[in-house]
Amino acid sequence: MKKLLVSIHDVGPQFEAEVALLLERLTRHVEARHLAMLVVPDHWGASPLRPGDDFAKRLRHWSDMGISMFAHGWFHKDMAEHRRVADRFKARHMTAGEGEFLALDRAVAAQRMGDARDLIQSITGRPVAGFVAPAWLYGPGALDALAACGFALAEDHLKIWQPRTGRIVARGPVITWASRSPARIASSLLVARLLPPILRHAPVARVAVHPGDAHVPRLLASIDDVLIRLGRSHKAASYGDLLVA
């Protein structure tokens, strides 16, 4: 069976309204129990997630609906000085200053991963499904830390793998959208139009949405279109289904 995985990124108090809107939109196509949310504990250091507050209660409710929760960094902000040319390129061109785990050393990466995991689990009462670095960008320190933190799954732009063994459980690009500028909106709409036919025969197809998408009607329409098209060839699944032999 070919699987369709759908996730909402950057989930946190700052984007509560956008996440709720996207959830309503996605559940027109996919049952909530097959969705994933990527949770940021303190977005840019300005929006902390605190146990017991209203958003934490809502996050627990979403988890009770069956939505899988991933740790998605801690700050979602890149505050490092990049010495490697490749990292400077990624930080400048692949994300708007949000590659938090590109330049962290192993110890700091492991601390933030572990703290995020423990906070989310304390709120939901369930193990997190895995870890996804902000902007899907990992440096060597982050990759070293992943295995030690005990996450069942990790994900980047092109694959999903088990950090403890390195086993890759799915390959293929993520269909996602960018809302930061008219040029990025146009390019992401084009890619979203071209990728579904290419992914039609892939064992796993992935779709990821972000809070900014909720404010752009053309992106919302494109998300609907992609889910309808991929729904003809793939069946909605949860990330945990990838671990079932």
Side-chain angles (χ1 to χ4, degrees), residues 1-6 30 33-35 235-241:
M1 179 187 70
K2 290 178 285 188
K3 297 179 176 64
L4 172 62
L5 306 179
V6 183
V30 177
R33 65 188 179 92
H34 290 136
L35 294 174
K235 185 176 177 60
S238 68
Y239 276 77
D241 293 332

Side-chain angles (χ1 to χ4, degrees), residues 88-169:
R88 288 199 298 270
F89 176 85
K90 292 176 182 178
R92 180 177 301 175
H93 298 289
M94 296 180 67
T95 180
E98 298 192 318
E100 178 184 2
F101 281 76
L102 260 178
L104 296 183
D105 63 31
R106 185 184 187 278
V108 174
Q111 181 69 51
R112 293 189 192 179
M113 289 176 184
D115 287 348
R117 176 199 62 214
D118 294 346
L119 175 62
I120 296 165
Q121 291 180 168
S122 73
I123 290 170
T124 66
R126 296 175 175 83
V128 297
F131 178 85
V132 180
W136 292 288
L137 295 174
Y138 303 78
L143 291 172
D144 285 346
L146 267 173
C149 289
F151 292 107
L153 292 170
E155 174 185 83
D156 64 19
H157 279 102
L158 296 175
K159 66 182 181 299
I160 305 169
W161 75 98
Q162 295 177 279
R164 282 174 287 193
T165 65
R167 175 176 170 256
I168 296 172
V169 295

Side-chain angles (χ1 to χ4, degrees), residues 14-15 17-19 21-22 179 185 210-220 223:
Q14 181 176 350
F15 298 118
E18 290 87 348
V19 170
L21 187 153
L22 291 169
S179 60
I185 290 172
H210 293 78
D213 302 341
H215 299 290
V216 185
R218 286 190 297 161
L219 296 185
L220 292 173
I223 291 166

